[in-house]
Every structure is written in C-alpha cells, then in structure tokens.
Amino acid sequence: MSRNESLEEQVAEALETTPELLSLLPELLADLDELGTEVRDIVGLLRPLGLPAGARVLDLGCGKGTVALALARELGFRVLGVDGFAPFVEEARRHAAERGLAGACEFRQGDLREAVREVGGMDVVMLLAVGRVLGNAAETVEALRRCVRPGGYLVINDCFVAEGVALDASEDLEGYAHLEETRRLMQSHGDRLVGERLPSAEETDAYNASNTELIRRRAEALAVRHPEVAERVRGFVAEQERQSRLLTTELLDALWLLQRGP
C-alpha cells in the first residue's frame, strides 16, 4: 500500500474493493459484524494479561466496533476506535449507544496513518485485518509502538507467506515474509512476542466461506434490484472468493501479541 494513497483509496484497499464500490459496501457487508477478526480470539488473548478495568485501548481500523464493544463489555476496557469508513463508524456509535457502552467506547472517523502519530500512552493498540496500511511487519510495529506505553501491548492480525511459497510468487505477497522472518521483523525494535495464534487452513476456510456466502446473498439481492451494478457487486464477491483461496494457500492468517519494550 502506498503511503501517498488517499483515505478513500486506503479504505477501499483494506476492504478489498475499489473506491467506486464503497457506497454499496454497507449493504454488501450488512450481515457481517466481525470484519476479519473473531472477537473471541481477541478477548481470549487479552483476558489473561490481567489488565485492570479502565485500561485504555486504541482499535485502529475498528470497523463496526464489534471488538471494541466486546472488550468494554467483557473486560471493562475503555476503547478509542478509529476507522476511515464513515458508515462503519456511525454503526459502531449506534451500537455503543444501544448497548449502554457509549461512555466506554469512542469512535472516530480518521486516517490510521495520522492516528498513530497523534495518540499515545495507551495500554493496548490493535491493528486487526486491515492489511499493510502502515508498511511491512517492522514498519507496522514501529508505528504502533509509539501509541503504547512501555510495557503495554500490541495486537496485530495479519498474514505471513506459507512455507515453500516464493516471496515473489505473486503481487499479493508484496511486503510479506515467511513466519520466522515475520516474527524477527516484529521484534526488531526491542519488543517481545508474547502470544501467537495460527489458525489452521480449515478454520480459516470455514470462517471465510461463511462470510462470503452472506456477502453473495446480499450481492445477488442488490443485483436484482439494481441491474446497473450487478457486474460490480458480483466482481466484489469473486474477489472475496479469490482472497479466501489465497489465505489458505500462499498467505496464512495469524494473530500476534507483542509487549512493548522500553
């Protein structure tokens, strides 16, 4: 991802589409609360840390606020969510108000690249399933660690290149590395990898297949009502299917927890 991309281009790339299709995404993704990362995995990763109620969390690319709301409800954390897509931010605010969590969760529309320069002193920062908006593994950690106090935590949901797959096998792999190199890059600033979840290909495939089917149903309904967008929405579904295949073959999903050093 280019550092010179506009916010609209950044959001479109993170959501695996084009700027022209963004206006249709609220309907296409209406049935998905989790946009790439399972809430139970994040709660399960952070609960054992024993952080106190009121611990401050920065959720970059918060989407509809599903993870943020769960952390506030189940762990008593205070969460600031930032996302570039206004409809998701509005939905997150609405859910927070409906569930009595508006006092614990604040949601802002903004550029993640700017947020990492403006927010500091957090107990936890999360970057979940938004791609390489901040660069490769080392660059991402370098940006995120500035948001967190020494001893605080970084949670990253991203990918690594499968063993036996050449790094130049396709453009999709640009900026990614194999697992051991990814771990090394993430710890290259003096932070420590303290947790890791590597779902099986079967888990990833089942999760993505379920989500893609929900998107497909919405796309077909939209195509029937608005034939002029049928080709574009079906193309979006096809790209979701391609990405799902990619995430069980060349790129593999991972969830990492790092503790910031001094």
Side-chain angles (χ1 to χ4, degrees):
M1 181 176 290
S2 169
R3 300 295 180 88
N4 297 318
E5 283 182 329
S6 69
L7 178 58
E8 184 179 59
E9 290 170 330
Q10 177 202 116
V11 170
E13 186 168 342
L15 293 171
E16 298 167 354
T17 188
T18 62
E20 294 74 24
L21 202 62
L22 284 178
S23 63
L24 301 176
L25 286 192
E27 180 166 354
L28 287 169
L29 303 180
D31 298 315
L32 275 64
D33 289 328
E34 298 176 350
L35 297 171
T37 304
E38 294 194 65
V39 169
R40 64 182 181 184
D41 290 339
I42 304 301
V43 173
L45 197 67
L46 294 179
R47 190 189 298 276
L49 300 179
L51 292 168
R56 297 182 302 159
V57 179
L58 175 62
D59 185 0
L60 295 167
C62 63
K64 300 178 181 182
T66 306
V67 172
L69 295 170
L71 293 180
R73 182 181 63 249
E74 298 187 33
L75 302 180
F77 294 167
R78 300 182 65 83
V79 187
L80 169 59
V82 180
D83 199 278
F85 194 43
F88 286 172
V89 174
E90 293 167 6
E91 188 166 348
R93 289 171 178 162
R94 185 172 67 252
H95 289 163
E98 292 170 349
R99 299 168 194 179
L101 294 169
C105 295
E106 177 187 354
F107 296 104
R108 301 177 187 169
Q109 184 189 9
D111 191 323
L112 308 190
R113 298 165 296 185
E114 296 177 2
V116 294
R117 295 194 295 267
E118 297 170 352
V119 181
M122 307 298 282
D123 297 296
V124 180
V125 60
M126 304 187 300
L127 185 72
L128 308 176
V130 297
R132 288 298 162 95
V133 62
L134 300 177
N136 64 24
E139 292 166 334
T140 294
V141 170
E142 182 180 22
L144 294 178
R145 70 192 307 274
R146 294 196 295 263
C147 304
V148 179
R149 60 170 174 81
Y153 296 91
L154 292 70
V155 182
I156 301 171
N157 180 198
D158 204 354
C159 300
F160 62 92
V161 180
E163 281 303 315
V165 175
L167 298 181
D168 60 356
S170 71
E171 292 183 359
D172 293 299
L173 309 187
E174 184 178 354
Y176 289 95
H178 294 110
L179 181 56
E180 286 302 322
E181 176 63 5
T182 301
R183 290 169 174 157
R184 186 193 70 78
L185 289 169
M186 287 194 298
Q187 298 177 90
S188 61
H189 303 289
D191 309 307
R192 185 167 61 97
L193 183 63
V194 295
E196 179 179 74
R197 170 164 162 68
L198 305 176
S200 68
E202 291 75 18
E203 287 180 275
T204 300
D205 185 56
Y207 180 78
N208 288 338
S210 175
N211 285 350
T212 301
E213 180 57 30
L214 293 172
I215 296 170
R216 181 183 293 107
R217 292 175 186 174
R218 288 283 180 174
E220 287 305 316
L222 192 57
V224 169
R225 295 200 318 273
H226 301 285
E228 70 277 8
V229 301
E231 183 177 353
R232 284 191 289 161
V233 297
R234 287 170 178 151
F236 178 72
V237 174
E239 177 60 16
Q240 296 300 302
E241 293 173 336
R242 189 188 75 82
Q243 291 288 336
S244 294
R245 290 191 298 272
L246 182 70
L247 290 174
T248 56
T249 53
E250 297 181 356
L251 277 176
L252 302 180
D253 190 48
L255 181 63
W256 290 289
L257 175 67
L258 292 99
Q259 185 170 29
R260 186 191 154 172

